[in-house]
Amino acid sequence: MNMVDVILKKRSGQALSAEEIRAFARGAADGSIPDYQLAALLMAICWRGMDARETTCLTMEMMRSGGVMDLSAIGGICVDKHSTGGVGDTTTLVLVPLAAACGAKVAKISGRGLGHTGGTLDKLESIPGCSVEMEQDQFIKQVQQIGCAVIGQTHDLCPADKALYALRDVTGTVESVPLIASSIISKKLASGAGAIVLDVKTGSGALMHTLDASIELAQAMVDIGTHAGKPILALVTGMDQPLGTHVGNTLEVKEAIDILSGRAGGDLLAVSLELGSRMLVACGIAADVGEGKARMRSALESGAGLARLRAMIEAQGGDGSVCDDVSRLPQARFHVEVPAPRDGFVARMDTTAIGFVAQGLGAGRRQKSDVIDPAVGLVMDVRLGDAVRAGQPLATLHLNRQELAQEAIARLQEAIVIAEEKPALPPLVYASVTPQGVERMM
Ligand code: URA
Ligand code: CA
């Protein structure tokens, strides 16, 4: 197949055939198509889009570019949850142990931090000793024994996505509904998930900034999953401020432990219950969302969720005693407050910029080869709508290199907008997207 013809065809806005899409996915996976042609086709897809048939076809071909895991030995319906990525968004560490404590089997493949967003694998690895790599049979055994495991992508899952994602990251082609949908769903299908709950973020810290684009992405993913025969649904949730108060790897682990210990709550817990209750419904443990939430809450209050997190950390080689004493997690040496520059109300946050401040302190990678500092990041002291006085802290930096403080303070003071009027507060959940349709909650 001549790739130039395929690029020209998509450039002129035509739909690609199944054979053309297969050649693209295979050529990306085996390296036979040069990066410049892959990049040109990605940009053409970004501009011209793909219809539902093409997007489904691309997803299936990406899934088939590598192995497909067989989780049938676990028994029952394995449920997976995936977020499009956010800031201070550690729902996985809250809801996976709670869902497992309620009897769900959660075999979860997670990702690393990407751009301004954090990644569950980096957070887990910030726990002393905890590993996110294991063989498939061990993964299955752990889910059978304690109900949950969270690991990274193995080498042979979706090699096409690995190649394409790396290129998209450096060619301005991340923000595309067919490319994001095929990337995420191909990995979910290849990892053997029986039922899928998606958290599609919307707002200033999300991949998709507008509600309409986020709903379009959610619909595309639900359509592909349904076509592949999987129970699937998506919630569109707000990312106009960090979801939890803590941003950074051990900081987010600490917040998850604080929540599971009953010492903290807030929006991070609320969204975790919204998603987790739908996971329980998807695998038949709860009859409806209300019952799912009640079960999750009782697993929280009894300490069963925290016990599951401890068991999972220990099964993955980590020091489970961090669950009883969060001071055993790595701590940053310096804490520096970011003062509010004026009186007023917290009116808006550039959540992407806040994520990048944490990355700049060492919580994320600028380049693939960068090494993360597990302990650094920031803790938000305010939320949207809060009244503040000049000099009052907006956030507290946790850092190991004091010389980074000044720039981080300036960038946060710019990212957190203070106005005279109290703003209208954004909802936590904007919409629910199921195979039956879209339900807007605002
Ligand atoms: N996460 C993914 O795995 N893929 C994308 O394209 C975007 C977010
Ligand atoms: Ca995340």
Side-chain angles (χ1 to χ4, degrees), residues 182-395:
S182 57
S183 167
I184 291 177
I185 302 299
S186 64
K187 281 178 286 194
K188 295 292 103 182
L189 296 178
S191 68
I196 303 164
V197 173
L198 299 167
D199 182 13
V200 177
K201 303 290 184 187
T202 193
S204 67
L207 280 179
M208 294 294 179
H209 294 239
T210 69
L211 180 56
D212 285 342
S214 304
I215 289 178
E216 189 191 340
L217 174 60
Q219 274 182 300
M221 293 196 284
V222 168
D223 286 349
I224 307 167
T226 303
H227 186 269
K230 302 284 180 188
I232 183 168
L233 66 86
L235 290 185
V236 177
T237 67
M239 191 34 72
D240 275 313
Q241 60 186 327
L243 183 58
T245 53
H246 289 50
V247 184
N249 295 288
T250 53
L251 289 169
E252 290 182 48
V253 172
K254 175 185 178 296
E255 186 170 19
I257 293 171
D258 284 345
I259 287 176
L260 291 173
S261 306
R263 290 189 292 269
D267 290 351
L268 174 55
L269 173 60
V271 170
S272 300
L273 294 175
E274 292 289 347
L275 294 165
S277 57
R278 284 163 175 87
M279 290 166 73
L280 296 186
V281 173
C283 58
I285 289 174
D288 54 37
V289 172
E291 186 194 334
K293 277 189 199 169
R295 282 177 178 260
M296 299 273 290
R297 277 208 179 278
S298 78
L300 173 69
E301 282 156 16
S302 69
L306 183 66
R308 259 343 135 104
L309 179 66
R310 188 190 295 108
M312 186 178 89
I313 291 170
E314 286 172 354
Q316 300 191 197
D319 176 2
S321 71
V322 298
C323 292
D324 311 304
D325 179 4
V326 288
S327 73
R328 295 176 68 94
L329 289 163
Q331 315 263 342
R333 272 185 295 157
F334 307 108
H335 296 179
V336 179
E337 287 185 351
V338 178
R342 66 185 72 82
D343 291 359
F345 293 94
V346 179
R348 215 155 21 84
M349 295 193 198
D350 179 344
T351 311
T352 296
I354 294 172
F356 277 128
V357 168
Q359 183 201 56
L361 296 177
R365 300 172 192 82
R366 250 176 227 145
Q367 296 175 348
K368 264 212 171 84
S369 54
D370 286 353
V371 176
I372 280 181
D373 182 340
V376 302
L378 54 98
V379 178
M380 300 294 297
D381 293 309
V382 294
R383 295 198 73 69
L384 290 175
D386 283 358
V388 292
R389 293 246 165 231
Q392 182 186 327
L394 298 174

Side-chain angles (χ1 to χ4, degrees), residues 82 84 114 161 165 168 174 179-180 183-184 187 207:
H82 193 88
T84 57
L114 204 64
D161 181 62
Y165 204 93
R168 287 168 59 208
V174 169
L179 293 179
I180 297 172
S183 167
I184 291 177
K187 281 178 286 194
L207 280 179

Side-chain angles (χ1 to χ4, degrees), residues 47-224:
W47 275 97
R48 292 296 197 168
M50 280 184 146
D51 64 23
R53 178 196 58 79
E54 290 175 283
T55 307
T56 300
C57 181
L58 178 59
T59 307
M60 295 302 168
E61 291 301 338
M62 284 167 69
M63 174 195 79
R64 288 186 200 114
S65 71
V68 176
M69 271 210 231
D70 178 4
L71 301 179
S72 56
I74 294 172
I77 303 173
C78 278
V79 59
D80 198 351
K81 178 239 75 161
H82 193 88
S83 154
T84 57
V87 177
D89 169 27
T90 194
T91 55
T92 292
L93 295 182
V94 176
L95 65 76
V96 166
L98 286 176
C102 293
K105 302 286 183 216
V106 194
K108 180 143 175 48
I109 311 279
S110 283
R112 299 210 173 262
L114 204 64
H116 66 284
T117 70
T120 302
L121 298 183
D122 297 325
K123 294 171 202 174
L124 278 173
E125 279 181 349
S126 77
I127 300 166
C130 193
S131 161
V132 294
E133 282 161 33
M134 68 179 84
E135 294 301 325
Q136 192 172 319
D137 53 349
Q138 194 189 344
F139 179 59
I140 288 173
K141 206 163 119 203
Q142 183 177 322
V143 179
Q144 283 170 330
Q145 284 171 346
I146 61 173
C148 53
V150 178
I151 63 168
Q153 209 178 315
T154 58
H155 303 299
D156 63 345
L157 284 190
C158 293
D161 181 62
K162 197 166 184 196
L164 293 178
Y165 204 93
L167 272 179
R168 287 168 59 208
D169 212 18
V170 292
T171 56
T173 53
V174 169
E175 215 175 310
S176 149
V177 166
L179 293 179
I180 297 172
S182 57
S183 167
I184 291 177
I185 302 299
S186 64
K187 281 178 286 194
K188 295 292 103 182
L189 296 178
S191 68
I196 303 164
V197 173
L198 299 167
D199 182 13
V200 177
K201 303 290 184 187
T202 193
S204 67
L207 280 179
M208 294 294 179
H209 294 239
T210 69
L211 180 56
D212 285 342
S214 304
I215 289 178
E216 189 191 340
L217 174 60
Q219 274 182 300
M221 293 196 284
V222 168
D223 286 349
I224 307 167

